[in-house]
Amino acid sequence: MSYLCLTDDDAAHVRAAQPAEGELVGAAWRLAALADPTRLRVALVLATSGELCVGDTATLLDLPLKLVSHHVRALAERGLATKERDGKLIRYRLTEDARRLLEAAFGRAIPAYIDLQARSSSVP
C-alpha cells in the first residue's frame, strides 16, 4: 500500500494495536450507557455514595422509582455497576471501570464515596 505519512511497517503496527471488533462493540455499549443524562446522574450518585438501593437513589435525585430502577439495571447489564441483594433490597455499587469513565468524561476526579454504613453506625 501507499501511505502519505507512514511506512508499511508502521501501518502494520498501528493496525495490530487496534482492538477486535467485538471489543469495540462492547466498549461502545458501555460508553453509551453514560450518554444518557439521567443515567449519568444515577452513576454519579452511586459514585459518591458508594452503595445505594434504588429507593434512596430515586429520593436523592427526585426521580420516579421505576425510572431509576431501569437506569441502575442498565448500568449493571453493561458491567458499570454491581448489585447485591440485602433481604428484599438490592444495593447497587458503581464499578471502578465506571468511575474511571466518569472521571474521563468530566476531566476531573469524582469525589471519593462516603462510607455511609460507617457514618450511620457511629451516629448515636
Side-chain angles (χ1 to χ4, degrees), residues 58-122:
T59 301
L60 281 168
L61 295 172
D62 196 27
L63 292 171
L65 188 66
K66 282 187 174 188
L67 180 65
V68 172
S69 180
H70 165 75
H71 286 300
V72 293
R73 200 169 39 252
L75 289 169
E77 288 170 354
R78 288 168 169 87
L80 299 177
T82 60
K83 60 183 181 177
E84 184 176 319
R85 182 166 291 282
D86 181 13
K88 290 185 177 187
L89 291 176
I90 297 176
R91 296 181 186 275
Y92 289 88
R93 175 182 294 273
L94 211 62
T95 64
E96 285 303 313
D97 284 346
R99 177 177 283 284
R100 285 190 291 272
L101 287 174
L102 288 174
E103 289 176 347
F106 283 95
R108 62 178 171 81
I110 301 300
Y113 63 83
I114 303 161
D115 187 353
L116 300 174
Q117 300 302 325
R119 292 185 72 180
S120 64
S121 64
S122 66

Side-chain angles (χ1 to χ4, degrees), residues 7-88:
T7 65
D8 286 343
D9 285 344
D10 288 342
H13 283 45
V14 170
R15 279 198 181 112
Q18 301 308 302
E21 184 67 24
E23 192 177 357
L24 287 170
V25 169
W29 191 55
R30 283 188 300 280
L31 288 169
L34 297 177
D36 179 276
T38 301
R39 197 166 299 137
L40 187 56
R41 288 180 64 206
V42 169
L44 286 167
V45 165
L46 289 175
T48 55
S49 66
E51 182 177 81
L52 285 175
C53 65
V54 173
D56 286 348
T57 305
T59 301
L60 281 168
L61 295 172
D62 196 27
L63 292 171
L65 188 66
K66 282 187 174 188
L67 180 65
V68 172
S69 180
H70 165 75
H71 286 300
V72 293
R73 200 169 39 252
L75 289 169
E77 288 170 354
R78 288 168 169 87
L80 299 177
T82 60
K83 60 183 181 177
E84 184 176 319
R85 182 166 291 282
D86 181 13
K88 290 185 177 187

